[in-house]
Amino acid sequence: MKNVFLFLFLLILAVGTLPDTALAAIDTLNISNCEALGFVPSLCGTLAEYSRRAGWSSEEEKGFLMKIFAEGEIMPRHDFVKEWNTGLEFGKEPVLGNSQSLGCPFLIDENSPQECISYAWLNTLAVMPSIIENSTYFIPPVGEAFAGYYYELRAPSNVGRSAGSCKTIKDDDDIDDYNNIYDYCRTEFWYEDESTITVKMGDTVLIEENATENGGYSLGPYTAVSQSPVFKSTLNINNRVFMKNYDWDFKYSKTKCKSNCESDCCTTYYRYCCDTELKPTSKVITLPISNTLKRTPQVYQKKEITNDIVVENLKTTPAGTITTNADEYKLFLDKAMLQKTGVKYSLTYSYPPYNILTVTKEPGDGYLVNDIHVAETRNDTVRFTTYPYNMEECKFIALWPFDYDVLECNMFQKATTELDIQIDETHYEIGEEKINVEIDFESDDGNDDAVVTLIYGSQMQGVNVNNGRATATLEPQEGYKTVYAEFKGDDERSPAESFSEGVYGSENNFSVYWRVVLLIAVSYCLVYLAKRYAH
């Protein structure tokens, strides 16, 4: 559904003036308009049947389509919204309120009124892009104000003889019997559209352009100069109506005389309404309509973003933390990517049946990763692990509802440390011997002093390592055979750990063991001697 092409179908209207109640357009977000929304016909049939069986209302159908278009998206679909809104075909039904009309000039027959401007309406519909968050209508510092409108123009009907009619009349006939109500043999009317639409932000004109009858829109690009700008559009409908009159003109004459009486000859003159015309006149009928954006917009203010990235263990399994106050961001470590989706975006609609779409923003919580594992999240801090080959490059992108900022990574790489321990034996007598531990520690930054923690059984001992070497002693414990060593790391160095294994038996178990071994050996010798001397 990434590319939805909208064709808004209006009802076929009967010829003549209809009341506004008969002008209802097809709702663009109705499943009956499914194919116009870009769905394949087979799917449209399935949706229509499902809606019928479920008994969906018009609002429920709209909600369903809104979920298909965008629900819980991690990025706002501003391009889709603009494509939808500017693809709407506005019709006679006004967005809000009633349409306006105005009569024609030149008309002197009050019994036959005509409208030269009809079904006129204008609405400042939206700012694009925009989002609604907690009932606040946010707009970016730079965008476009969107206004839609509709009007129809006409001229009075022609009066008198039809075009091309060359019927003649006698000069002595009563011309008034042949003239129209304007006292001419023919009067023609036509019009020219001189309408304009203007979109303003405060007193600043964003765009002024020619308007087009039968529906259209205008986009006024703006750069906000206040926190809460006011957007207003004005539609100046100017219908210049032309009037051209035709008058009777001489065509030919006929002379008749009485026989043998020239003085009694008479001449009859004939006139016609065909070729001769008078210079046309014109009048402009004007209907101005103004409208202010219904919502009160607020320019979205970005906060200052910080990021602190700490990485460690670069040679083995790199781990790190990122702490940032950004609600949404992307962290790139070479090909690896961590994206926090702190919000989710959906769509809402207004001004049915046309349905102007607007992006809505709600809190969200989630992460998208590639070649990175999220180990832990706590408040504004995320701990992650990745691979050594991803630690060459770093890029941090703060995501906003309308754009993004690429920021420098405030990255600190901790020095890599290595820890190794060795014990002097693999078996100790409990109560008689000590476990002697040798500790070797090394750090890339040259600081080989550290506090290493030894863990064995119930014993935990902190050992100060100087110049990379230290020794320690532990008491053998029954049932425990592994000594662990841990360097927890600090602000400058990565953590490290090591262990060493041995067999640390108890004294009683040791004595029983050797007694069993001695008994087996003596028994073997006795059996051997008995067999030998028996022969």
Side-chain angles (χ1 to χ4, degrees):
M1 301 309 302
K2 295 293 184 184
N3 296 311
V4 177
F5 297 95
L6 171 69
F7 302 94
L8 177 62
F9 290 95
L10 300 177
L11 294 175
I12 299 176
L13 304 177
V15 177
T17 302
L18 297 178
D20 284 351
T21 55
L23 301 179
I26 295 177
D27 196 301
T28 60
L29 289 176
N30 191 288
I31 287 182
S32 63
N33 201 37
C34 177
E35 291 187 38
L37 297 176
F39 295 95
V40 295
S42 58
L43 178 59
C44 290
T46 302
L47 291 177
E49 179 64 18
Y50 187 87
S51 175
R52 185 187 66 81
R53 291 185 178 183
W56 279 351
S57 65
S58 175
E59 292 303 309
E60 288 172 328
E61 288 189 354
K62 288 183 179 183
F64 174 78
L65 291 173
M66 287 290 93
K67 290 180 180 179
I68 293 179
F69 291 155
E71 181 182 37
E73 299 280 342
I74 62 173
M75 298 296 290
R77 299 196 65 189
H78 293 308
D79 290 341
F80 173 80
V81 167
K82 183 176 181 179
E83 180 184 3
W84 172 281
N85 290 343
T86 57
L88 294 170
E89 295 180 7
F90 297 113
K92 295 180 179 180
E93 181 174 352
V95 169
L96 286 175
N98 299 316
S99 60
Q100 302 182 42
S101 61
L102 204 59
C104 292
F106 303 114
L107 292 178
I108 61 176
D109 185 0
E110 296 181 356
N111 295 322
S112 301
Q114 297 186 49
E115 293 178 349
C116 279
I117 299 176
S118 55
Y119 304 116
W121 62 264
L122 166 73
N123 196 283
T124 310
L125 297 166
V127 175
M128 298 187 296
S130 58
I131 63 166
I132 298 175
E133 180 182 7
N134 296 326
S135 300
T136 301
Y137 190 68
F138 286 108
I139 63 173
V142 177
E144 295 175 303
F146 175 54
Y149 61 88
Y150 185 90
Y151 63 91
E152 291 183 6
L153 303 181
R154 70 180 68 177
S157 302
N158 296 332
V159 182
R161 296 187 175 276
S162 62
S165 172
C166 293
K167 179 176 177 61
T168 58
I169 62 172
K170 294 180 181 180
D171 191 36
D172 56 354
D173 288 340
D174 187 355
I175 292 180
D176 290 341
D177 293 339
Y178 297 95
N179 280 347
N180 58 29
I181 59 177
Y182 300 98
D183 290 329
Y184 291 95
C185 65
R186 175 176 174 78
T187 302
E188 292 181 348
F189 296 95
W190 71 94
Y191 72 88
E192 291 182 1
D193 187 1
E194 298 179 355
S195 305
T196 61
I197 181 169
T198 304
V199 181
K200 291 184 176 182
M201 180 183 65
D203 295 328
T204 303
V205 176
L206 304 178
I207 189 171
E208 184 174 10
E209 60 185 352
N210 293 331
T212 56
E213 60 176 314
N214 300 317
Y217 69 87
S218 185
L219 289 173
Y222 72 88
T223 299
V225 294
S226 66
Q227 180 60 28
S228 184
V230 176
F231 295 96
K232 181 180 181 180
S233 56
T234 300
L235 178 64
N236 288 306
I237 305 175
N238 298 312
N239 185 2
R240 181 177 292 277
V241 179
F242 292 86
M243 177 182 183
K244 181 173 69 173
N245 291 312
Y246 291 79
D247 206 353
W248 298 104
D249 198 8
F250 172 79
K251 184 176 183 182
Y252 61 90
S253 63
K254 288 183 179 181
T255 302
K256 293 182 180 181
C257 300
K258 295 180 181 180
S259 60
N260 303 319
C261 183
E262 293 182 2
S263 61
D264 290 332
C265 289
C266 59
T267 301
T268 302
Y269 294 91
Y270 292 87
R271 300 179 181 278
Y272 71 147
C273 184
C274 188
D275 295 333
T276 303
E277 62 183 62
L278 301 177
K279 184 178 179 179
T281 59
S282 68
K283 293 182 180 180
V284 177
I285 176 173
T286 299
L287 177 60
I289 306 175
S290 296
N291 180 266
T292 302
L293 181 68
K294 182 180 178 182
R295 294 187 172 104
T296 302
Q298 297 291 322
V299 176
Y300 190 89
Q301 298 294 319
K302 295 181 180 180
K303 60 184 178 182
E304 184 177 353
I305 296 299
T306 61
N307 70 84
D308 294 302
I309 304 165
V310 179
V311 293
E312 55 194 21
N313 296 337
L314 299 185
K315 294 182 179 180
T316 54
T317 303
T321 59
I322 174 171
T323 302
T324 177
N325 61 340
D327 295 329
E328 302 173 85
Y329 63 84
K330 286 185 178 181
L331 172 65
F332 289 93
L333 297 173
D334 289 298
K335 296 180 180 180
M337 186 271 292
L338 168 65
Q339 179 177 352
K340 181 183 179 182
T341 56
V343 299
K344 59 182 180 180
Y345 296 96
S346 301
L347 296 177
T348 188
Y349 61 89
S350 57
Y351 303 125
Y354 304 108
N355 299 308
I356 305 301
L357 297 186
T358 307
V359 175
T360 62
K361 177 185 175 184
E362 298 176 354
D365 187 17
Y367 296 90
L368 293 178
V369 296
N370 177 41
D371 228 18
I372 283 181
H373 172 69
V374 175
E376 182 184 7
T377 62
R378 182 177 299 176
N379 299 327
D380 293 337
T381 300
V382 178
R383 183 168 180 81
F384 62 87
T385 58
T386 184
Y387 302 96
Y389 53 77
N390 284 329
M391 301 309 298
E392 296 293 329
E393 238 177 78
C394 177
K395 182 167 69 173
F396 181 87
I397 301 177
L399 303 175
W400 304 104
F402 302 110
D403 57 10
Y404 62 88
D405 293 324
V406 180
L407 306 177
E408 183 178 351
C409 288
N410 184 26
M411 177 182 279
F412 175 75
Q413 294 186 1
K414 288 188 176 183
T416 301
T417 60
E418 294 183 5
L419 176 63
D420 183 64
I421 62 172
Q422 298 291 331
I423 56 177
D424 57 340
E425 296 184 26
T426 58
H427 180 83
Y428 297 90
E429 285 287 346
I430 294 177
E432 297 182 4
E433 298 179 285
K434 304 286 187 183
I435 302 174
N436 298 307
V437 184
E438 291 186 359
I439 304 171
D440 290 307
F441 176 82
E442 184 178 0
S443 177
D444 281 351
D445 61 358
N447 179 11
D448 296 336
D449 294 342
V451 176
V452 173
T453 302
L454 296 179
I455 303 172
Y456 170 70
S458 60
Q459 302 170 66
M460 181 178 294
Q461 182 182 148
V463 181
N464 292 318
V465 178
N466 297 311
N467 296 322
R469 296 187 63 83
T471 60
T473 58
L474 298 169
E475 293 288 340
Q477 287 184 242
E478 186 177 354
Y480 295 96
K481 60 180 182 178
T482 304
V483 177
Y484 296 93
E486 178 185 38
F487 171 64
K488 294 184 177 181
D490 52 31
D491 292 340
E492 306 291 333
R493 297 174 294 182
S494 303
E497 59 183 24
S498 180
F499 68 92
S500 183
E501 250 183 38
V503 181
Y504 316 123
S506 68
E507 181 181 10
N508 292 335
N509 288 340
F510 179 74
S511 301
V512 171
Y513 171 79
W514 283 110
R515 288 171 185 165
V516 171
V517 172
L518 181 59
L519 180 60
I520 293 173
V522 171
S523 300
Y524 176 80
C525 291
L526 291 175
V527 172
Y528 175 79
L529 292 173
K531 288 182 178 181
R532 182 173 182 181
Y533 287 105
H535 294 287

